[in-house]
Structure formats: structure tokens, C-alpha cells
Amino acid sequence: MKKQYGERRFLWLTVGVICGLCMSYFWPHEPAMAVATDRDGDRFAITTVPTRSGNAEGVFVLDFLTGRLQGAVINSRTGKFTHAYFRNLAADFNVDPTAKPHYVIVSGEVNLPAQGRAQFAEGGLYVAEMSSGMVICYAFSFVFNNAPSAPQQLLPMDRFQFRQAQ
């Protein structure tokens, strides 16, 4: 009697493991996507932005002292930065860079449709500035190629006022 009970336990364990493996094989898989943002006090911030599926992310640096946002995308085939982007945020927010504007930057998924020949990256940048009380969404065109391209301006897509300007 004892031997039969032990055999059933092993049978149920085997059935459970097989069912678990089958479920994990057919369960929908979702890739883990992560973007990163960091800052150094009131000097600069850095963030990553998704470009296209299967390609490297873009990295963008916001210099708080000059109000300039610059970025680049590394080519996953050559290991070199082949796409460069820039924007003068102080002009966009209409702030004086010497007055120490307070910027915040994050990236997110935007998936904008193509406009003419411009195909946009899957991600975009959201920049807020405290004294102007504005948030602006920036997008950038991204077409994968091995040859380095000329630096392009980031494109402001839209903006909204989150508080009254000071």
C-alpha cells in the first residue's frame, strides 16, 4: 500500500511539471523594455529613448547650463554613433539660460505616424521647464542605415501648460 501511494505522488509531480512547461511555452511573452533617466543636480540630465524594434536606443543629454539638448543613436551593426540630434530648449521655452531654468526630462513611447518621408522613432522626449510652466514633446526621425548622417534637429510635436509662467 505504501509503495502505491509513493508512485502516485511521483505521477502527479510529473504531470504538474509537464503542464507547467506547456503553459509557459504557450503563454504570451512580453519583452521587458526599460528606459533610464538620471541627472547630476542642476548641471545636466541623461535619458535613453527607444528607436525601432531590434535597434539600439538613443541617448540624450540635456545641459541645464546652456539649455541645449543633444543626442545620438549607436549603430548596432558597426558599434559607432551614426545618428545625431540637437535642440535649443532655452529658445523653445523662451527662458534665459543664464537665469538657471529648471528642466526635467523623461522619455516615453510615442509611435507617431510618418510625415512625408520622415519616419519617427518609437520613442520621444518629454521636457518640462518650471519657470515657463510648459511641457514639450520632442520626436526625432530615425531610419536605420550604416552610413553616418548629418545632425538633425529634434522636432517639437506638441506642448501644454501645466502651470502659470512666472
Side-chain angles (χ1 to χ4, degrees), residues 71-135:
V73 177
I74 197 162
N75 187 311
S76 53
R77 291 185 188 155
T78 64
K80 305 286 184 197
F81 285 105
T82 55
H83 297 77
Y85 305 93
F86 66 95
R87 188 74 189 189
N88 181 355
L89 297 183
D92 289 348
F93 288 99
N94 198 20
V95 293
D96 181 11
T98 60
K100 291 191 176 185
H102 297 282
Y103 296 106
V104 178
I105 184 170
V106 295
S107 61
E109 196 171 315
V110 292
N111 286 327
L112 296 168
Q115 292 181 356
R117 293 183 57 188
Q119 292 184 355
F120 293 106
E122 292 176 359
L125 295 159
Y126 298 95
V127 181
E129 199 284 317
M130 195 64 162
S131 63
S132 68
M134 298 270 281
V135 173

